[in-house]
Amino acid sequence: MEAWRCVRRGYGRCVVGRGRYPMFPHHQKSLGRDWTTPWENLQRCCWNRHISSCMRWPGHYSRAPYPYFSSRHFSLHWRPPCLFESRTPFQYWNWRPDSLSHSPLIHLSSYIMNSEGDEPSSKRRKHQGTIQRHWEYICNHNKDKTKILGDKNVDPKCEDSDNKFDFSVMSYNILSQDLLEDNSHLYRHCRQPVLHWSFRFPNILKEIKHFDADVLCLQEVQEDHYGAEIRPSLESLGYHCEYKMRTGRKPDGCAICFKHSKFSLLSVNPVEFYRRDVPLLDRDNVGLVLLLQPKLPRAASPVICVANTHLLYNPRRGDIKLTQLAMLLAEISSVAHQKDGSFCPIVMCGDFNSVPGSPLYSFIKEGKLNYEGLAIGKVSGQEQSSRGQRILSIPIWPPNLGISQNCVYEVQQLPKVEKTDGDLTQTELDKTEVLVTAEKLSSNLHHHFSLSSVYSHYFPDTGIPEVTTCHSRSAITVDYIFYSAEKEDVAGQPGAEVALVGGLKLLARLSLLTEQDLWTVNGLPNENNSSDHLPLLAKFRLEL
């Protein structure tokens, strides 16, 4: 018998018993700095109430207002006085674990076990500290290729000239406070003070000021905080802010903010994924697409399309995720389309709730996806088992959505009715109908962009995955910065790519971390990093 959960508000919640049981016949009373209780009574009460089945790791439940009892800390030869007194209210909030541990008779552990084997090493409470991230910068080795260099201490500056325009982009899910509180089970590893908005926002703002990106793409921006604190603070730093709140009763949304000194705003294009006339699209996620023009002395400067989104989380609804993505791509296609038929450079940021290598991720990078026979829960790569999952329907979304399989808006045209001597025969009409039906039932999706990921998602030396989010349940990559670039594999390394002539050139990126790295500072959020996501940051060059 190692340890079990003993007291919480005078009750224990039992897994086996499926109920709440009073653990002690009477309530405890404090005598000075030490807490004692007869071992026989404690053991009898706990076992009678099935408490032995309620095993917990204290480091994983550090906010729980209860101490830990362990059989290793009891002596079989002591006889302390009984400290239970009838009808005495038990003031659990007055406990001081730092002082309780000094008791010579019974040890009530604070939130750390003494043995290395008592809890998973990856989630054991660590000392306060800061995570170290460095710039991985990229320089030209010849006129075609670029390569990540070994010198990680140099921070390349974005500088403009007559033939180039450099700018930086940050994508950051800042964790809505309402969503944090609604999903508190994800943050049991955190100390309570670091979860308060009054503590978190100054940290988030400090990060934004430190990295000083020219464009910010923020997700989970809570509306009341945006109006009262976030927008005024960013405007004071020289940003212009655009915001799209989620539909329905959701409290947060997406924001794109850019430096006045670097860009002029040409258009703002919000995208609502909820569609009353499409039963599939009953979720309140949104996107935001801006068309920005660099401020350059030349008369006709190019434009840049910046998109930001936060796709549906539900791992088992890949059909909704793919449809939301198609809607965003259709809006980008409309905004980024130029008169000569090409597209202006595109930067697409966000929390896509999909992992690297998943069908949704591959569709973004490769521009095509055949989803025939694909299980609905496999789209985002978050579900490990496909048992009980239905297969994606063909087509995924209905025709009345107005978006083609090429992820562009369909031009709705009324059929032309002309009387001629050569009207189509019924056989010809039947053939035409068959062709249209076959086209609409295609299981192939396409988009017209050449998009690369800023990050490679694996450390090249070890193959260990990079992570962008880390909390009590998982540590994975779901956040991305995609950008317009020609692509070429580098030495066969999975995910490693370089920018060639055309599109945007990637100058630098802020390094990501492993799950182990993040648990050395107790995961996310922590004392210095106040979201459960890491900010992603990249520096680009636009050739003029």
Side-chain angles (χ1 to χ4, degrees):
M1 179 173 56
E2 285 294 323
W4 62 89
R5 180 174 166 182
C6 280
V7 180
R8 185 171 184 172
R9 299 176 183 260
Y11 291 90
R13 185 174 295 278
C14 182
V15 175
V16 176
R18 290 176 173 259
R20 284 157 52 103
Y21 300 92
M23 294 178 57
F24 304 111
H26 305 289
H27 296 290
Q28 286 181 318
K29 182 178 180 181
S30 172
L31 291 182
R33 294 169 56 88
D34 298 331
W35 289 83
T36 58
T37 182
W39 165 241
E40 294 85 359
N41 291 347
L42 177 63
Q43 184 184 39
R44 182 166 54 253
C45 290
C46 290
W47 281 100
N48 288 344
R49 300 301 186 223
H50 310 287
I51 301 304
S52 61
S53 64
C54 301
M55 303 293 290
R56 293 291 185 270
W57 287 309
H60 196 63
Y61 290 82
S62 58
R63 292 191 294 120
Y66 47 85
Y68 255 76
F69 294 84
S70 173
S71 59
R72 295 173 302 154
H73 302 131
F74 288 91
S75 170
L76 298 179
H77 303 290
W78 53 266
R79 291 292 184 268
C82 180
L83 299 180
F84 294 107
E85 183 173 305
S86 177
R87 307 304 180 200
T88 303
F90 178 53
Q91 304 294 335
Y92 69 90
W93 53 84
N94 288 331
W95 290 4
R96 298 183 58 186
D98 56 336
S99 62
L100 298 181
S101 60
H102 298 293
S103 170
L105 301 178
I106 174 173
H107 179 80
L108 304 188
S109 168
S110 55
Y111 306 130
I112 307 173
M113 298 294 281
N114 295 331
S115 170
E116 289 291 322
D118 287 329
E119 60 180 330
S121 60
S122 62
K123 295 186 179 181
R124 190 176 302 117
R125 169 78 58 162
K126 305 296 191 304
H127 297 294
Q128 294 185 17
T130 58
I131 55 177
Q132 300 297 322
R133 301 178 67 185
H134 56 260
W135 280 101
E136 298 172 337
Y137 71 94
I138 297 173
C139 293
N140 287 326
H141 275 243
N142 56 52
K143 63 181 181 181
D144 289 332
K145 296 185 178 181
T146 62
K147 181 181 179 182
I148 299 175
L149 300 183
D151 185 358
K152 300 173 180 179
N153 298 318
V154 179
D155 182 358
K157 302 298 181 183
C158 291
E159 299 177 352
D160 304 332
S161 69
D162 293 339
N163 61 351
K164 69 180 188 296
F165 176 78
D166 294 353
F167 65 100
S168 56
V169 177
M170 174 189 281
S171 182
Y172 196 6
N173 182 326
I174 63 173
L175 181 58
S176 161
Q177 189 66 23
D178 282 2
L179 294 179
L180 181 156
E181 293 171 5
D182 290 344
N183 298 275
S184 58
H185 61 283
L186 300 178
Y187 311 105
R188 288 172 174 162
H189 61 284
C190 303
R191 294 193 308 112
Q192 187 66 31
V194 307
L195 298 178
H196 295 157
W197 178 249
S198 59
F199 180 89
R200 293 178 54 232
F201 177 62
N203 268 359
I204 293 171
L205 188 62
K206 180 180 177 181
E207 281 186 292
I208 292 174
K209 291 173 66 176
H210 173 72
F211 292 120
D212 195 32
D214 299 315
V215 179
L216 303 175
C217 291
L218 306 178
Q219 304 90 39
E220 289 195 26
V221 181
Q222 193 164 305
E223 183 193 27
D224 53 348
H225 294 156
Y226 173 75
E229 297 172 273
I230 298 175
R231 180 174 181 174
S233 298
L234 294 181
E235 287 179 343
S236 69
L237 297 177
Y239 289 97
H240 173 88
C241 303
E242 295 291 339
Y243 177 71
K244 175 57 184 172
M245 185 180 174
R246 285 203 286 169
T247 53
R249 297 182 179 180
K250 305 301 182 181
D252 65 290
C254 295
I256 300 180
C257 313
F258 60 89
K259 288 286 188 68
H260 285 291
S261 59
K262 297 283 287 190
F263 297 97
S264 298
L265 178 63
L266 298 184
S267 69
V268 180
N269 308 273
V271 186
E272 294 183 355
F273 298 143
Y274 174 84
R275 285 283 296 270
R276 187 182 300 273
D277 58 332
V278 180
L280 172 70
L281 297 172
D282 59 350
R283 309 305 166 95
D284 296 305
N285 305 83
V286 296
L288 187 60
V289 183
L290 267 56
L291 194 62
L292 303 177
Q293 186 168 40
K295 288 187 175 180
L296 295 172
R298 57 192 297 170
S301 62
V303 294
I304 300 171
C305 179
V306 179
N308 184 25
T309 193
H310 188 176
L311 298 185
L312 176 71
Y313 164 73
N314 191 336
R316 300 180 65 87
R317 293 308 304 268
D319 53 344
I320 299 179
K321 296 187 186 194
L322 272 176
T323 306
Q324 290 180 346
L325 176 62
M327 296 173 73
L328 180 68
L329 292 173
E331 186 65 28
I332 294 173
S333 178
S334 175
V335 172
H337 193 269
Q338 301 186 111
K339 294 180 180 179
D340 62 357
S342 64
F343 296 99
C344 71
I346 297 164
V347 178
M348 184 171 71
C349 303
D351 181 343
F352 290 82
N353 275 313
S354 300
V355 301
S358 65
L360 187 144
Y361 172 88
S362 299
F363 174 51
I364 294 174
K365 291 192 62 178
E366 298 172 9
K368 59 184 179 179
L369 173 66
N370 185 349
Y371 60 86
E372 183 177 3
L374 180 61
I376 192 172
K378 291 292 186 178
V379 170
S380 64
Q382 297 164 296
E383 283 286 314
Q384 299 303 315
S385 173
S386 59
R387 293 184 60 186
Q389 296 181 16
R390 64 178 177 85
I391 303 301
L392 287 172
S393 60
I394 304 175
I396 298 176
W397 56 81
N400 65 323
L401 181 60
I403 294 178
S404 73
Q405 299 292 293
N406 291 327
C407 298
V408 297
Y409 291 124
E410 291 180 322
V411 179
Q412 302 295 329
Q413 295 180 340
L414 294 175
K416 295 181 180 179
V417 179
E418 297 180 359
K419 290 186 178 181
T420 65
D421 294 336
D423 289 340
L424 293 176
T425 64
Q426 184 62 42
T427 303
E428 290 172 331
L429 288 172
D430 290 342
K431 289 181 179 179
T432 304
E433 184 178 351
V434 169
L435 290 174
V436 172
T437 302
E439 181 182 357
K440 288 186 177 180
L441 293 180
S442 171
S443 61
N444 292 294
L445 296 180
H446 299 273
H447 67 74
H448 302 294
F449 314 121
S450 177
L451 297 175
S452 292
S453 173
V454 163
Y455 291 92
S456 58
H457 315 307
Y458 297 90
F459 288 91
D461 297 335
T462 62
I464 297 175
E466 300 171 334
V467 300
T468 66
T469 180
C470 179
H471 50 65
S472 294
R473 289 287 180 88
S474 66
I476 56 174
T477 287
V478 294
D479 307 277
Y480 303 93
I481 300 177
F482 297 103
Y483 66 102
S484 297
E486 298 295 333
K487 297 181 287 185
E488 178 179 325
D489 290 337
V490 178
Q493 296 177 6
E497 293 174 347
V498 295
L500 303 179
V501 175
L504 296 171
K505 290 188 176 181
L506 179 62
L507 298 179
R509 63 192 179 195
L510 189 65
S511 66
L512 288 174
L513 302 167
T514 67
E515 178 180 5
Q516 184 177 5
D517 292 333
L518 289 173
W519 281 116
T520 61
V521 291
N522 201 41
L524 297 173
N526 56 52
E527 282 75 7
N528 298 293
N529 310 93
S530 287
S531 173
D532 57 351
H533 293 248
L534 292 172
L536 279 58
L537 191 61
K539 296 184 178 182
F540 298 104
R541 171 166 295 168
L542 174 63
E543 299 288 353
L544 304 177

